[in-house]
Amino acid sequence: MAIVEALPGDGDRRRYRLRSPATLKEIGEFEASTEAMVQAAVARARKAQASWAGRSFAERAEYLWRLVDVIVQRQDEIVEQVMRETGKPRNEAISMEVMAPCVQISHYAKRAAKYLATKRRPASGMMRFSKKVTLFYQPLGVVGLITPWNAPIALSANPLAQALMAGNAVVQKPSEVTPFSAMLLKELTVAAGFPDDIYQVLQGDGETGAALVRAGVDKVSFTGSVATGRKVGEACGRRLIPVTLELGGKDAMIVCRDADLERAAEGAVRGSCWNTGHYCCGTERVYVPEAVYEPFVEKVVTKTRALKQSDSEECDVGAVFWDRQMETIEAHVADAKARGARVLVGGARNPALRGYFFQPTVVVDLNHDMALMRHETFGPIVAIQKVRDEEEALALANDSAYGLSGNIWTRSIERGMALARRIETGSVCVNDMAITYGVAEAPFGGVKASGVGQVNGETGIRGYCHLHPVVVNSEKRVRGGYPYTAESAAALQRAVRFLFGNRFLRRFLV
Ligand code: NAD
């Protein structure tokens, strides 16, 4: 039974019926916005943005603080909505979709003024005596926000807070798998008194997302799969608009021989099964040296067996949010088994449950010929490969088309830091599952196929701005002007020799 079922359309509006992946009960229907509706929304956003950009940081922040108030007051509603649409456990709905957005929104309400403060600095070199530079962080205008289904509130609220604090308007196209969560966030901004059209949500599918990219927005902030990211990046390239692409990953975990195995096993299970494994920087591959392999696997097996799975609120690992993802998870496990892998725990759908539940799983005897170790699985699977030592683990961690994040477990912070610097990923954690996205001070973004650009913190919010330098000249006349003569050319060459032909002066000047 499809979670997102296409219905007979009404004219040029595609219609969908949505079901809960946990209960398979119908949640509701929605219609995709048409191209004309998308364009109209962007035009409305542009109007709203003009006055929004004129407000001070303190005024913009006040709206965000009020949004946090509303989120706190209506957190039960958010949790219920997210659980209905995704089937994630209540604990994860609270931590990921209520707590994290409160942290994110508050962070930018408090710090945007500092991150985006106008800066004045004298020019260097010969220009230091005559020119002063002022750097203004100017909003880009209208940001098109395209989001996935794995954290429907958090992955909307975080870029929204940054884009708004930077003075932009936002038009969002949420995932067709979680359309009602995004609508709820929109509703919460209305309750918080946000100005009309400063934040709009348009329902739809991939075509609606593509329509948003070509609707004249000034930047696209995209979070989703590599395949769609490539299309969005190409479309933005054609339009010469900036884009951040936060894409998928195949994050590796390296267990060092000196690791606290209890802690590392806990990290492996949590990193792999959290949010049903639907976490862009979830742990998808675990490399363990043979010296500690047996005790580590034993601990992981015990911990995974202890996980509760059910369609009630009392569970540790919830539903697979989308039947299409279930197909990928099943295909990867089947491929691994066919190539000689052994399943120690789980390995199949949960036969006791009606909805889309894949059992928390441990798979061993893996290698890089298997899809499970090469392509993003996005399921609750601890996939463990035995290695000789940390060097082999590192080589295998880097043997990937992806490069989002990763984690290293060791009692030696020095060793952890040294390995972390050699992992080819956007970020790394030592002795923790990959939680960089939740630490606003750490810029987050992938390398290789995992994305382009970074989000979060100072770096992220500045990505929603154009850094606009204004150079003021205090000289009485314009230098180097006409007419050009043989003498003026010779004088220029003498100046080059004098200023840069001497190492001491060269260093002093620049
Ligand atoms: P997806 O690429 O299928 O869809 C993402 C969004 O793009 C959806 O809203 C979709 O409707 C829209 N879309 C689809 N086709 C489009 C097109 N041609 N033009 C414009 N928009 C289009 O991804 P998904 O399945 O929703 O999300 C899961 C993926 O997201 C995983 O790969 C996961 O790793 C990744 N993800 C990355 C991060 C990160 O920060 N790096 C965070 C969360 C999820």
Side-chain angles (χ1 to χ4, degrees), residues 146-149 173 176 209-210 222-225 228 246-248 280 376:
I146 302 177
T147 49
W149 44 265
K173 206 302 284 177
E176 52 273 46
F222 175 85
T223 309
S225 64
T228 312
E246 292 301 317
L247 310 179
C280 56
E376 188 180 49

Side-chain angles (χ1 to χ4, degrees), residues 191-214:
F194 278 38
D196 289 348
D197 301 325
I198 200 66
Y199 171 45
Q200 299 171 69
V201 175
L202 298 172
Q203 295 308 349
D205 47 23
E207 278 186 51
T208 322
L212 180 57
V213 176
R214 50 176 185 259

Side-chain angles (χ1 to χ4, degrees), residues 12-14 32-42 202-203 207-216 239:
D12 58 350
R13 298 202 65 180
R14 296 176 299 283
S33 306
T34 62
E35 181 111 28
M37 290 164 78
V38 175
Q39 283 168 0
V42 172
L202 298 172
Q203 295 308 349
E207 278 186 51
T208 322
L212 180 57
V213 176
R214 50 176 185 259
R239 280 161 190 81

Side-chain angles (χ1 to χ4, degrees), residues 357-377:
F357 287 85
F358 197 90
Q359 295 171 332
T361 291
V362 180
V363 191
V364 294
D365 296 349
L366 294 160
N367 63 57
H368 276 213
D369 293 337
M370 302 169 178
L372 193 58
M373 298 305 268
R374 297 212 79 89
H375 306 297
E376 188 180 49
T377 308

